Amino acid sequence: MIRFICGRAGSGKSTRILEMLRGGGDRIFLIVPEQQAVAWERRCAAELEPAANLRLEVLTFTRLFNRTAREYGGFFTNIAGKASLRLLMWAALNSVRGNLSYYSSVRTEKLVPSLMQKVKELHTYRVTPAVLESAAREPAEDGDRAASLLSDKLSDLSVIFSAYEELLHSSFSDSDDMPEHTAKAVSEHRFFAGAD
């Protein structure tokens, strides 16, 4: 069973969580923010009996990815760093520059940081290049200049995003794919079945 504990600071959330951990089943997972993992491990070691700590695993989403990858396979290799991602975006932009209309005259060095942010947002919300291209084809009312500019912008973003994804995945693993990969592994292998 998954339970979310919410409340203001000092309202007893941590105390309630510790009570639940004491009474938990044979397998217990406590999922916490990245920066809280070590603090919760220490607190659990200090405040719970040894038997409860043997059943408990404190995870962050990064740790959950690593745990499922170790158990079911799927480790990411050769993850691109920030510099590599910027270079890949620069290469993608230059490779499609002749096919652009909205972004055709913008200087590459000015455009790359903005495109990196846009691509990250699109990836987060699972907007694919195909979705962008489909939205770009939406018919605009006659003479609607704003709709025409939006269509050109969406079309350009689709072309750039597609080229970037192709370059990225031909040489690197993308750390932004970790949550989706983890969700798939957890679901397919029923990782949390029978656990609290």
Side-chain angles (χ1 to χ4, degrees):
M1 178 187 314
I2 297 175
R3 297 181 185 137
F4 294 95
I5 309 296
C6 304
R8 293 186 308 226
S11 64
K13 296 182 302 293
S14 297
T15 303
R16 177 69 182 125
I17 290 170
L18 286 167
E19 288 171 9
M20 292 168 67
L21 294 175
R22 282 186 188 95
D26 293 337
R27 290 180 43 212
I28 306 167
F29 295 102
L30 177 62
I31 302 176
V32 298
E34 299 289 332
Q35 65 276 12
Q36 293 284 319
V38 174
W40 269 101
E41 285 174 338
R42 281 190 188 129
R43 185 164 186 182
C44 289
E47 297 187 34
L48 297 176
E49 62 278 357
N53 278 301
L54 290 174
R55 300 186 319 256
L56 171 67
E57 190 170 349
V58 177
L59 296 173
T60 64
F61 286 108
T62 301
R63 286 181 178 187
L64 181 58
F65 166 76
N66 288 330
R67 173 85 157 67
T68 57
R70 274 195 315 274
E71 196 159 327
Y72 309 120
F75 269 113
F76 284 17
T77 57
N78 200 22
I79 296 176
K82 286 183 181 180
S84 297
L85 293 173
R86 284 180 177 260
L87 286 171
L88 288 169
M89 180 59 78
W90 179 84
L93 183 57
N94 284 328
S95 73
V96 297
R97 173 86 56 193
N99 301 331
L100 304 179
S101 54
Y102 184 85
Y103 290 115
S104 63
S105 61
V106 181
R107 292 177 35 198
T108 303
E109 61 273 9
K110 297 269 187 191
L111 193 51
V112 167
S114 171
L115 288 172
M116 294 298 300
Q117 184 178 352
K118 281 179 180 50
V119 164
K120 187 161 186 72
E121 271 185 64
L122 292 169
H123 196 274
T124 298
Y125 294 107
R126 296 184 173 167
V127 177
T128 64
V131 169
L132 289 172
E133 187 56 39
S134 175
R137 284 193 220 118
E138 291 280 322
E141 293 180 25
D142 289 334
D144 189 353
R145 178 80 176 129
S148 178
L149 285 174
L150 178 60
S151 178
D152 289 347
K153 184 176 184 178
L154 291 174
S155 181
D156 284 3
L157 283 173
S158 171
V159 169
I160 295 165
F161 189 11
S162 182
Y164 172 76
E165 289 277 301
E166 187 176 323
L167 284 172
L168 174 62
H169 290 107
S170 69
S171 302
F172 297 96
S173 294
D174 186 2
S175 61
D176 287 341
D177 291 334
M178 284 182 185
E180 192 170 324
H181 180 78
T182 304
K184 184 177 178 188
V186 163
S187 176
E188 284 180 1
H189 299 283
R190 298 182 35 82
F191 180 77
F192 291 114
D196 289 326

